[in-house]
Amino acid sequence: MSAVSGGSAFSSEQEAALSRGDVDVVVHSLKDLPTDTPGGLTLLPPPGREDVRDALCGSTLAGLRKGARVGTGAPRRVAQLLAVRPDLDIVPIRGNVPPRLRKIETEGLDAVVLAASGLRRLGLDDAIDELLPLDRFPPSPGQGALGIQVRTDASSAPLRDILSTVGDLAVDAETRAERALLAELHGGCSVPVGAYGRTLPDGRLTLFGQVSSLDGTEQFSGTLTGPAAEPEKLGAALAASLVDQGALTILDAVRAVLAVS
């Protein structure tokens, strides 16, 4: 058996390698994986989930000076930061986690925003100054979870059976609801959509979603609760509620800006 891991820009290449039979398993960061799974491949339930929150490194939000320079490359994080602190100077940054952390020193940033899950998987918990609250900073759909893909052909059945035993069904329902919301809004990792699903003690599933304008001046949000057995239906229903509020106007404007940037 061979496997490969990664995400974002590498997802399509990895899926192609899986389809060809070059590898048998692909492990992605689920938030970087497109909501459409190619034919012949299947997405297995994630094996648990790390902290879903975003982390501010270098300062707390309240501790940032007026006009502080904060690094992030994600439109969602930019929008959410500006909604809370419109005075901030957002600096685009790219790269892996350690290089982005070092930009606090190398580029004179006051802080950077990163996924808490990535920091913790790398043993960088000490770099976290504040975990941003979910009600104002809902994460990218699927954040903190792994997306494990295998082929659907008969030869892969034993592997699928083995890997399915480590899947967390509650996390699977939560992330499926989040990704369904994103799919209904025709979004991706480049649009400012945040979502967070949570399994309640009574077994039902609750989903919070948020759509923001790039400058943070407009935000539409909502929460719905429904059966955990129907996560896609819950995500679609919440997406429809956000559309009724006017979310598509924001998303169309965001796509127009990103298309020429």
Side-chain angles (χ1 to χ4, degrees):
M1 181 185 77
S2 56
V4 64
S5 64
S8 192
F10 302 105
S11 295
S12 296
E13 181 180 340
Q14 292 168 341
E15 288 175 333
L18 182 60
S19 296
R20 290 193 303 268
D22 297 344
V23 296
D24 299 303
V25 184
V26 177
V27 182
H28 307 265
S29 175
L30 186 56
K31 72 179 179 65
D32 296 327
L33 193 62
T35 54
D36 292 329
T37 300
L41 303 183
T42 188
L43 183 64
L44 298 177
R49 195 176 195 180
E50 255 288 3
D51 195 324
V52 304
R53 290 173 290 183
D54 281 334
L56 192 62
C57 305
S59 174
T60 63
L61 196 58
L64 288 170
R65 61 183 176 85
K66 186 175 181 179
R69 302 175 72 237
V70 179
T72 178
R76 173 187 60 83
R77 290 171 177 156
V78 173
Q80 291 173 344
L81 283 168
L82 292 177
V84 177
R85 289 285 305 269
D87 62 290
L88 296 177
D89 177 15
I90 308 299
V91 179
I93 59 172
R94 292 286 189 272
N96 294 327
V97 170
R100 281 189 282 172
L101 267 178
R102 287 195 293 271
K103 288 182 185 294
I104 295 174
E105 297 179 359
T106 60
E107 297 190 15
L109 301 181
D110 294 280
V112 298
V113 183
L114 299 166
S117 57
L119 290 162
R120 287 183 165 152
R121 284 175 180 139
L122 293 171
L124 296 172
D125 301 60
D126 291 346
I128 299 173
D129 285 276
E130 182 179 7
L131 291 167
L132 298 174
L134 289 169
D135 61 334
R136 301 303 300 272
F137 297 86
S140 294
Q143 184 161 303
L146 298 177
I148 301 176
Q149 284 182 315
V150 295
R151 289 184 298 279
T152 56
D153 58 45
S155 65
S156 297
L159 179 59
R160 288 198 305 275
D161 292 342
I162 292 171
L163 292 175
S164 293
T165 64
V166 300
D168 187 313
L169 297 183
V171 171
D172 184 48
E174 293 162 2
T175 56
R176 283 165 57 192
E178 295 166 12
R179 285 165 57 79
L181 167 72
L182 186 64
E184 287 292 324
L185 294 174
H186 306 290
C189 61
S190 62
V191 297
V193 174
Y196 174 46
R198 183 168 59 90
T199 303
L200 300 174
D202 64 6
R204 293 183 302 158
L205 180 63
T206 186
L207 178 65
F208 174 66
Q210 178 196 78
V211 177
S212 307
S213 62
L214 286 176
D215 62 3
T217 58
E218 287 187 280
Q219 285 188 321
F220 298 120
S221 61
T223 304
L224 285 180
T225 300
E230 300 178 328
E232 284 83 7
K233 186 178 291 187
L234 183 64
L238 182 54
S241 174
L242 295 174
V243 168
D244 288 343
Q245 293 181 50
L248 285 186
T249 302
I250 282 182
L251 292 174
D252 287 344
V254 169
R255 293 187 186 101
V257 171
L258 294 177
V260 298
S261 61

